[in-house]
Amino acid sequence: MKKLFLVLVLASNLLIAQRNVSIIPQPVSLQINQGAFVIDNSTAVKFNTADKELKLAVNFFSAAIRNISGKTLLLNDVAKNNIVFKIAKTNGIGDEGYTMNVSPSSITIVANTKAGVIYGIQSLLQTLPAIRTNEVLQVPCMSITDFPRFKYRGMHLDVSRHFFSPEFVKEYINLLASYKMNTFHWHLVDDQGWRIEIKKYPLLTSVGAWRVDQTDKVWASRPQAKTGEAATYGGYYTQEQIKDIIKYAAERNVTIIPEIEMPGHVASAIASYPALSCTQQQQLPLTGGNYSGMSSNYCAGNDSVFTFLENVLTEVIALFPSKYIHIGGDEVEKGPWKVCPKCQTRIKSSHLENEDGLQSYFIKRIEKFINSKNRKIIGWDEILEGGLAPEATVMSWRGEAGGIEAAKAHHDVIMTPGSPVYFDHYQAGPEGEPLAIGGMNTLKKVYDYEPIPKELNAAEAKYVLGAQANLWAEYITTAEQVEYMVLPRMLALAEVVWSPKENKNWENFNERLKNHFKAFGQRGLHYSLGNFTVSIKPSSQNGRLFVDLSTEILNAAIYYTTDGTEPTLSSNIYAIPIEINASLLLKASTILNGQIMGVKAARQNFVMHKAIGKNVTYTNPLSRYYQADGPNSLTDGVRGTAAVGKYWHGFNGDDLIAIIDMGEEKNIQNIAIGCLQNYNDWIFLPQSVKFETSNDGNVFTEIKTVNNPIDINTKSVMFDFKTDFPILSVRYIRVTAKNNLCPPDHNGAGKPAWIFADEIVVE
Ligand code: TNX
């Protein structure tokens, strides 16, 4: 009997242990033992009070315990139970590592620095309740040795496109610190708002931080402000607030890197001080993504621009202790420099090759100034164009190519490729998800990310300092939405940048994630269950259309319906690809342990027509970025939506020439092709579409050419070019959509546009 009792006690202790130890990111080594340490009124914290840094870490821990239990821990008292924090030389764990040993009578955290102690505390806190509770505080007995794989573990937040309060910025920093992310990249300057107080230039914030409120309209389709309209949307951080935020971050071992964007993306500075641009014309702060007629670059030929920037940077450097200052450098539209006499004079007098050289001149001149203040620059990968500044660190965002090039040139690199670490992209759906800028970066895609590209050898790989996720805020208007876009994807990234590669395990990560979801719920944080959304992928085989359903969740089943009803536990279970042979609405849900998971069933409308599943060949290649579901996307019965790139086939600069083989002669009487126009994304409807048919695939007869009837300045529209005709028996159909040029007032005036097409419908 006694034995049985003991077994039960051991088993229940083990249960506590299993339930609680769900640490993310996964530690380097973790061994769970039997029993638990109980934090109660007779628990004391022991540490060397002479160490001020350590004292900060202890304060952080004591406050956290007070929050969840109301208990005030004894400090350096004689106690039954001790929690010991020690900074002591420990080999093998580096600057940020720690060891933690928990036994029934003590918890000991040892590290080389305060940062390591903080990370030990973060791991410890993850084993305790997330919010105020009367539960007994039990920490399972365990021993951990832990240290990060990468030294740069970043999260970015764009506070220009939307302003987020200082309180929320702290909450964001706290969240990233709890997952051992150590860098907050604060994007303080962009076209739509200047957010940092600069004492010498007060108009930057009295003018540049405020715009006419168009929050009710989608970013890309906001009208520009008119003179006399009240500029009520915005805000900025005072230098006092910034100091307070820096201190708060430092307590959590988070370094803040401020980004003072230049030489492009600065329409807000120009609205404040028009003399900074090439044209020197007055302009109102931008309301959103409508740039027509606006300047957004500094003039690179005007020395007073550099004086201005040096004054701004002097204040920035005095505020922020970080080694790095981010100077932006992305997406400089060189058109204005080409027609600016001062810029052209600079190109000549400084013997620069062209405008790329001018950009490089700009960045190098600023770098020299920043280096003279003992700081280093980081810039987006465009700073490679025209020659990299000597000491620059490159943030690779347009894929990894820029990062690879920089590492090969022995420059430090931070990986932040759009796919998969732009957290402004969708994480599921898009049905059921808040409107996002586009793209699709699922939780698994983030989890599977490997920051060291195969192209780098071991020596070059050392230049990759780490990785970062970016959160651009064009489509993110509230703090809740920030949380939603970041949770849980940041947890996946945390494991990518902290845990040893060989410790990563998707299944186990999902298990641990459950406890974190519970904690988010208890803390009132918004998070996405999108990871549970079924992915629906059309595929054609021998002229027939099938759909594959899949889920990222292990051991889950997929239930689906085709009659428009919500899937239930008695719906069809998905086993093999489903053939689509009628127009229908497919809905599918993930089922795990007998429960429907996620928020909303995934859904897809299929429109049946005669070319469904038929093979399409293109004369000009399809863009590798916009492939929709693969080669036969134009005959998959799936229509695109205005919001997402996912369903569209894109062609850049070339005509879309598609030939459909119907497999055999078929009677048809109309053909249509669906196209998209998105003015701000350089996507325009074709000038015209020619429809032709053939029975041998060689000689085609034109049926009709349909000219584009839509005004080229229309911001966003989906349009079907179509033709009806008396019944014809045909085997081949050729559709030629003639590419347009960007119109005169457009940023890309005269340059080739994109064609986006979603379906060729044949009836
Ligand atoms: C590109 S990433 C930008 C940002 C946008 C973002 C939207 C980068 C350096 N530039 O200005 O907000 O795309 O995803």
Side-chain angles (χ1 to χ4, degrees):
M1 184 64 203
K2 217 172 178 179
K3 242 187 187 159
L4 182 66
F5 176 72
L6 195 71
V7 169
L8 279 177
V9 168
L10 288 180
S12 74
N13 272 343
L14 213 59
L15 247 167
I16 292 173
Q18 276 164 359
R19 195 180 62 229
N20 289 335
V21 183
S22 297
I23 298 170
I24 293 178
Q26 179 69 37
V28 173
S29 99
L30 162 70
Q31 194 200 319
I32 299 169
N33 304 320
Q34 275 162 17
F37 177 97
V38 176
I39 300 176
D40 58 23
N41 290 329
S42 56
T43 304
V45 175
K46 297 219 155 154
F47 70 105
N48 175 4
T49 44
D51 188 329
K52 295 238 160 47
E53 284 281 286
L54 196 54
K55 190 152 195 249
L56 286 175
V58 169
N59 287 348
F60 173 71
F61 177 68
S62 301
I65 295 298
R66 209 172 312 120
N67 259 340
I68 55 172
S69 69
K71 288 189 210 327
T72 301
L73 294 171
L74 306 171
L75 293 185
N76 286 323
D77 237 320
V78 182
K80 185 164 63 70
N81 288 328
N82 292 316
I83 304 179
V84 184
F85 296 109
K86 237 192 255 167
I87 293 182
K89 176 100 191 84
T90 313
N91 289 332
I93 58 170
D95 281 352
E96 294 182 298
Y98 65 94
T99 62
M100 173 156 77
N101 278 296
V102 183
S103 75
S105 60
S106 71
I107 297 179
T108 310
I109 294 179
V110 185
N112 286 309
T113 64
K114 182 199 106 188
V117 174
I118 287 280
Y119 290 138
I121 291 172
Q122 296 289 14
S123 292
L124 177 57
L125 292 176
Q126 284 191 15
T127 68
L128 291 169
I131 45 161
R132 182 66 184 258
T133 173
N134 289 327
E135 266 177 55
V136 179
L137 299 185
Q138 303 196 69
V139 182
C141 291
M142 57 187 162
S143 58
I144 296 181
T145 301
D146 202 11
F147 51 88
R149 179 174 171 207
F150 290 101
K151 67 173 171 216
Y152 186 105
R153 304 180 301 278
M155 287 293 295
H156 153 288
L157 182 65
D158 167 10
V159 295
S160 170
R161 274 56 176 272
H162 282 95
F163 179 69
F164 300 99
S165 70
E167 295 70 39
F168 179 71
V169 171
K170 283 188 180 174
E171 180 192 319
Y172 190 72
I173 290 169
N174 190 38
L175 204 53
L176 59 110
S178 52
Y179 292 97
K180 305 188 176 80
M181 303 300 276
N182 64 359
T183 309
F184 171 48
H185 171 171
W186 204 358
H187 186 74
L188 287 161
V189 171
D190 213 306
D191 293 312
Q192 293 83 5
W194 183 284
R195 306 287 178 216
I196 170 171
E197 178 189 28
I198 302 294
K199 305 251 191 210
K200 202 172 175 91
Y201 299 109
L203 299 186
L204 286 172
T205 41
S206 64
V207 174
W210 301 95
R211 62 184 191 234
V212 174
D213 191 353
Q214 308 261 7
T215 323
D216 58 329
K217 298 185 187 67
V218 174
W219 187 258
S221 55
R222 293 182 183 173
Q224 287 184 346
K226 294 187 202 60
T227 315
E229 282 181 305
T232 54
Y233 180 89
Y236 64 93
Y237 309 97
T238 63
Q239 295 200 354
E240 282 313 303
Q241 287 169 328
I242 288 173
K243 283 183 203 154
D244 179 50
I245 291 171
I246 293 170
K247 181 167 161 271
Y248 180 90
E251 282 162 14
R252 288 157 179 76
N253 194 42
V254 172
T255 299
I256 303 184
I257 297 181
E259 181 180 351
I260 306 300
E261 172 98 72
M262 64 186 79
H265 278 278
V266 292
S268 58
I270 293 166
S272 316
Y273 296 98
L276 296 169
S277 76
C278 295
T279 64
Q280 309 214 333
Q281 269 159 27
Q282 291 275 356
Q283 65 186 36
L284 293 170
L286 292 180
T287 57
N290 186 345
Y291 285 78
S292 47
M294 296 287 177
S295 295
S296 56
N297 291 352
Y298 291 128
C299 176
N302 185 348
D303 281 333
S304 64
V305 165
F306 291 93
T307 311
F308 163 83
L309 283 170
E310 289 178 6
N311 288 334
V312 167
L313 288 167
T314 300
E315 290 192 34
V316 170
I317 288 168
L319 273 175
F320 289 91
S322 72
K323 171 166 92 173
Y324 295 108
I325 304 291
H326 200 304
I327 48 79
D330 62 312
E331 297 182 316
V332 182
E333 178 44 59
K334 316 260 169 51
W337 286 355
K338 287 196 176 128
V339 296
C340 168
K342 287 201 186 93
C343 289
Q344 292 306 311
T345 305
R346 171 92 72 208
I347 289 180
K348 286 200 197 77
S349 64
S350 297
H351 311 292
L352 308 170
E353 203 167 312
N354 50 22
E355 289 71 25
D356 279 353
L358 187 57
Q359 170 173 304
S360 170
Y361 166 91
F362 199 111
I363 303 294
K364 284 178 182 157
R365 185 162 164 178
I366 293 294
E367 173 177 69
K368 215 167 168 189
F369 177 77
I370 289 181
N371 288 167
S372 78
K373 303 269 178 190
N374 272 323
R375 306 297 179 91
K376 293 186 68 162
I377 65 161
I378 302 183
W380 299 110
D381 56 50
E382 284 92 334
I383 67 169
L384 284 153
E385 294 162 5
L388 200 50
E391 303 282 320
T393 296
V394 172
M395 234 178 215
S396 188
W397 72 278
R398 297 174 302 174
E400 294 188 318
I404 294 168
E405 188 186 331
K408 284 188 184 288
H410 298 178
H411 278 258
D412 285 345
V413 168
I414 294 149
M415 286 297 184
T416 177
S419 168
V421 287
Y422 267 36
F423 288 179
D424 54 338
H425 291 193
Y426 283 98
Q427 49 198 319
E431 290 74 22
E433 293 295 306
L435 181 67
I437 197 162
M440 181 66 75
N441 288 331
T442 64
L443 183 66
K444 176 133 196 329
K445 228 171 118 180
V446 178
Y447 193 81
D448 287 342
Y449 180 52
E450 168 49 44
I452 306 279
K454 286 190 286 296
E455 289 83 347
L456 298 182
N457 65 32
E460 291 158 350
K462 296 230 163 56
Y463 290 97
V464 178
L465 303 182
Q468 170 177 295
N470 293 339
L471 197 66
W472 300 101
E474 290 94 330
Y475 286 76
I476 301 178
T477 53
T478 64
E480 289 75 23
Q481 211 179 331
V482 171
E483 294 167 4
Y484 185 90
M485 298 311 271
V486 158
L487 302 176
R489 286 185 288 190
M490 183 182 70
L491 282 63
L493 179 65
E495 200 141 311
V496 168
V497 287
W498 179 282
S499 306
K501 204 167 150 187
E502 55 286 1
N503 276 18
K504 279 175 64 190
N505 178 324
W506 171 243
E507 187 176 0
N508 182 265
F509 173 73
N510 272 278
E511 265 313 300
R512 281 176 284 132
L513 200 53
K514 287 180 191 161
N515 258 352
H516 297 260
F517 277 164
K518 191 172 146 214
F520 298 154
Q522 289 174 331
R523 290 188 187 137
L525 291 168
H526 294 73
Y527 62 100
S528 171
L529 288 172
N531 178 222
F532 293 103
T533 308
V534 173
S535 143
I536 303 178
K537 273 219 175 79
S539 69
S540 51
Q541 293 164 23
N542 309 322
R544 291 156 70 196
L545 177 67
F546 293 86
V547 278
D548 297 319
L549 304 183
S550 59
T551 170
E552 293 185 343
I553 307 298
L554 256 119
N555 303 323
I558 296 172
Y559 287 38
Y560 71 95
T561 64
T562 52
D563 59 1
T565 60
E566 288 303 303
T568 64
L569 294 177
S570 46
S571 302
N572 298 316
I573 301 184
Y574 175 76
I576 51 167
I578 309 160
E579 182 162 9
I580 305 287
N581 36 35
S583 294
L584 57 82
L585 173 59
L586 179 92
K587 289 189 176 178
S589 290
T590 302
I591 313 289
L592 189 63
N593 305 326
Q595 249 193 317
I596 297 195
M597 307 300 288
V599 255
K600 214 169 167 188
R603 47 185 287 158
Q604 183 61 60
N605 232 326
F606 289 91
V607 187
M608 212 47 208
H609 56 83
K610 288 194 170 153
I612 288 275
K614 303 300 181 238
N615 273 339
V616 181
T617 48
Y618 292 118
T619 307
N620 296 324
L622 176 67
S623 153
R624 67 191 177 95
Y625 300 108
Y626 298 99
Q627 305 245 336
D629 289 316
N632 290 339
S633 278
L634 291 187
T635 52
D636 65 2
V638 175
R639 301 306 307 264
T641 61
V644 209
K646 165 170 158 185
Y647 301 119
W648 298 93
H649 262 192
F651 292 81
N652 188 210
D654 291 324
D655 295 342
L656 175 166
I657 306 173
I659 298 173
I660 302 178
D661 180 357
M662 302 294 284
E664 57 185 343
E665 286 191 18
K666 288 262 169 70
N667 283 342
I668 63 168
Q669 54 185 339
N670 59 58
I671 313 171
I673 179 168
C675 294
L676 174 75
Q677 172 149 326
N678 250 347
Y679 184 98
N680 291 328
D681 298 328
W682 299 37
I683 303 166
F684 287 92
L685 294 178
Q687 298 175 32
S688 63
V689 176
K690 180 159 77 177
F691 297 100
E692 298 166 294
T693 60
S694 164
N695 281 333
D696 63 5
N698 281 320
V699 182
F700 282 84
T701 314
E702 176 171 343
I703 298 184
K704 194 175 179 179
T705 295
V706 182
N707 288 321
N708 177 9
I710 307 275
D711 177 1
I712 189 134
N713 292 309
T714 307
K715 292 294 168 231
S716 175
V717 64
M718 285 188 280
F719 182 75
D720 285 354
F721 290 78
K722 48 176 132 169
T723 174
D724 298 312
F725 42 88
I727 294 181
L728 281 177
S729 173
V730 300
R731 162 113 190 229
Y732 298 96
I733 297 168
R734 182 160 70 191
V735 179
T736 305
K738 206 145 189 43
N739 190 41
N740 236 323
L741 296 178
C742 298
D745 283 337
H746 189 267
N747 276 343
K751 291 192 184 151
W754 285 83
I755 291 184
F756 267 42
D758 65 339
E759 190 79 1
I760 296 178
V761 179
V762 179
E763 274 160 343

